[in-house]
């Protein structure tokens, strides 16, 4: 029987989880950032200023919401960890609005544990930019996923892509999700090569509220992108089929058995593909690439 993997709910919502303002080291005031993303059609945004926890008054809305959170730092700042409020954790002793959390001397694991205890999900930000070792991420527990694309890091130092970290973790049996974000700081919203609007996630959720968006993130009901789009992903037994926006290639990446890269030999766009996952494969994820080299990434399916 065919099962719809994405979107699981009727509506999908586009949002950015990693944005800075003048509350920390960003160039723009909060209102300017919010209006810029709304004007570009985003439906949610996390204000993730460094070490300063943001609490939003817009937790549920038909058009636009803000997720509570911050970007924390550990020790020598080699770990940057997102804390995003999870309102299904009802008994948590939460961070107060505008509370300051200096660079902690706790271990990365102690910091993750603290953030979760205080009612947050955790995402490890830009692991290539912070020069993390694969094994460090393998040893850590409790985080939801990692940034596999960071627009600012890509623009600044070509350290934005981290799918190799992701595949390493997945091959080792760690079930983590992949996120894309802007990490925008600079005063260049309207320039041609901007830190803004270059990495996002599209979430399938029951409705536009903090709780619904984060719940869907926790179950992997989203994809990450810096360009193209997944329209549908279906699964029937071991066969995965999907429809996308026009793309150059659709890659099914699996382990330990190899996947397949689907493309038109004439170089024309394709919009659909199917793949039967071989016996013995532990997971498969899908990576689509458009004619401009922009990509989108599904979350892994495990077998």
């Amino acid at each position: 029987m065919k099962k719809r993997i994405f979107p699981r709910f009727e509506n999908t919502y586009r949002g950015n989880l990693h944005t800075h303002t003048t509350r920390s080291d960003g160039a723009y005031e909060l209102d300017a950032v919010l209006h810029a993303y709304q004007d570009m059609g985003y439906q949610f945004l996390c204000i993730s200023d460094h070490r300063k926890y943001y609490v939003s008054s817009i937790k549920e809305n038909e058009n636009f919401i803000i997720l509570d959170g911050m970007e924390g730092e550990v020790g020598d700042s080699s770990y940057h960890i997102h804390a995003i409020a999870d309102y299904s954790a009802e008994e948590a002793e939460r961070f107060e609005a505008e509370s300051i959390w200096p660079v902690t001397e706790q271990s990365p694991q102690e910091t993750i544990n603290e953030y979760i205890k205080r009612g947050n999900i955790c995402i490890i930000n830009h692991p290539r930019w912070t020069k993390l070792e694969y094994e460090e991420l393998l040893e850590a527990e409790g985080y939801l996923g990692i940034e596999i694309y960071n627009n600012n890091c890509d623009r600044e130092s070509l350290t934005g892509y981290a799918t190799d970290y992701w595949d390493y973790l997945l091959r080792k049996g760690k079930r983590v999700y992949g996120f894309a974000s802007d990490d925008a700081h600079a005063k260049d919203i309207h320039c041609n090569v901007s830190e803004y609007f270059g990495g996002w996630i599209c979430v399938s959720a029951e409705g536009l509220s903090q709780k619904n968006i984060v719940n869907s993130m926790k179950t992997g009901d989203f994809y990450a992108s810096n360009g193209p789009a997944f329209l549908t992903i279906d699964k029937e037994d071991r066969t995965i089929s999907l429809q996308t926006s026009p793309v150059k290639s659709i890659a099914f990446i699996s382990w330990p058995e190899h996947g397949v890269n689907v493309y038109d030999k004439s170089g024309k766009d394709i919009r659909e593909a199917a793949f039967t996952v071989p016996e013995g494969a532990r997971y498969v994820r899908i990576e689509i690439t458009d004619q401009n080299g922009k990509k989108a990434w599904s979350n892994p399916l495990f077998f």
Side-chain angles (χ1 to χ4, degrees):
M1 182 177 178
K2 183 179 288 188
K3 178 182 179 182
R4 176 59 48 88
I5 302 300
F6 184 90
R8 192 160 65 91
F9 298 96
E10 181 179 357
N11 295 315
T12 58
Y13 305 98
R14 177 176 172 174
N16 174 44
L17 299 178
H18 195 165
T19 300
H20 299 279
T21 73
T22 52
R23 296 170 64 255
S24 61
D25 59 349
Y28 289 98
E29 297 284 345
L30 175 62
D31 284 348
V33 171
L34 296 179
H35 287 139
Y37 278 94
Q38 289 179 78
D39 289 345
M40 290 296 291
Y42 283 65
Q43 288 129 329
F44 67 91
L45 189 67
C46 180
I47 300 301
S48 57
D49 281 305
H50 295 281
R51 304 178 299 279
K52 190 172 186 180
Y53 202 87
Y54 182 81
V55 176
S56 170
S57 61
I58 311 174
K59 290 181 168 56
E60 185 169 3
N61 189 280
E62 291 183 357
N63 301 310
F64 185 81
I65 62 167
I66 309 169
L67 304 182
D68 300 354
M70 70 173 179
E71 182 177 22
E73 298 173 37
V74 178
D76 60 0
S77 295
S78 61
Y79 264 87
H80 286 218
I81 303 173
H82 245 121
I84 300 175
D86 174 11
Y87 282 99
S88 64
E90 296 177 354
E91 301 300 320
E93 182 183 346
R94 298 191 176 278
F95 291 122
E96 295 181 2
E98 301 302 296
S99 56
I100 304 295
W101 292 86
V103 177
T104 176
E105 295 304 320
Q106 294 177 319
S107 70
Q109 188 61 63
E110 289 171 332
T111 302
I112 291 170
N113 293 346
E114 174 79 8
Y115 290 173
I116 293 172
K117 179 182 176 182
R118 289 180 172 271
N120 297 275
I121 59 169
C122 293
I123 300 167
I124 307 298
N125 291 342
H126 41 61
R128 169 153 284 108
W129 186 84
T130 43
K131 303 176 184 177
L132 295 179
E133 298 291 342
Y134 291 164
E135 292 78 9
E136 293 180 88
L137 292 178
L138 183 62
E139 291 171 2
E141 299 288 344
Y143 62 93
L144 185 64
I146 66 171
E147 282 185 343
I148 57 171
Y149 179 74
N150 181 297
N151 187 50
N152 181 29
C153 293
D154 187 37
R155 181 179 181 272
E156 174 190 88
S157 55
L158 298 180
T159 55
Y161 286 91
T163 51
D164 55 325
Y165 284 83
W166 196 23
D167 280 319
Y168 173 83
L169 295 170
L170 294 172
R171 290 175 181 183
K172 294 294 185 179
K174 204 168 194 68
R175 298 194 172 195
V176 291
Y177 299 133
F179 294 85
S181 70
D182 279 341
D183 192 9
H185 292 74
K187 199 165 188 176
D188 67 350
I189 282 184
H190 301 297
C191 75
N192 289 334
V193 183
S194 175
E195 291 182 9
Y196 297 82
F197 322 124
W200 58 86
I201 61 173
C202 286
V203 180
S204 175
E206 193 170 359
L208 189 56
S209 70
Q210 281 197 5
K211 188 172 183 178
N212 287 335
I213 293 295
V214 172
N215 280 346
S216 285
M217 287 165 54
K218 288 163 60 179
T219 54
D221 287 308
F222 67 92
Y223 68 85
S225 180
N226 60 23
F230 289 96
L231 304 182
T232 62
I233 303 174
D234 295 309
K235 178 177 175 290
E236 186 171 11
D237 297 325
R238 298 186 70 87
T239 297
I240 299 169
S241 57
L242 68 151
Q243 296 178 317
T244 70
S245 60
V247 293
K248 181 180 179 180
S249 65
I250 299 173
F252 296 88
I253 298 166
S254 65
W255 178 263
E257 305 301 323
H258 289 308
V260 66
N261 190 34
V262 179
Y263 59 94
D264 187 301
K265 291 183 179 180
S266 71
K268 294 180 180 179
D269 282 331
I270 59 175
R271 293 172 173 81
E272 60 184 10
F275 174 62
T276 299
V277 181
E279 295 291 338
R282 298 175 191 167
Y283 76 90
V284 62
R285 65 176 183 85
I286 310 161
E287 185 171 309
I288 58 178
T289 307
D290 68 16
Q291 297 286 356
N292 295 316
K294 299 295 186 180
K295 296 178 178 290
W297 304 266
S298 78
N299 275 310
L301 299 173
F302 298 99
F303 293 86

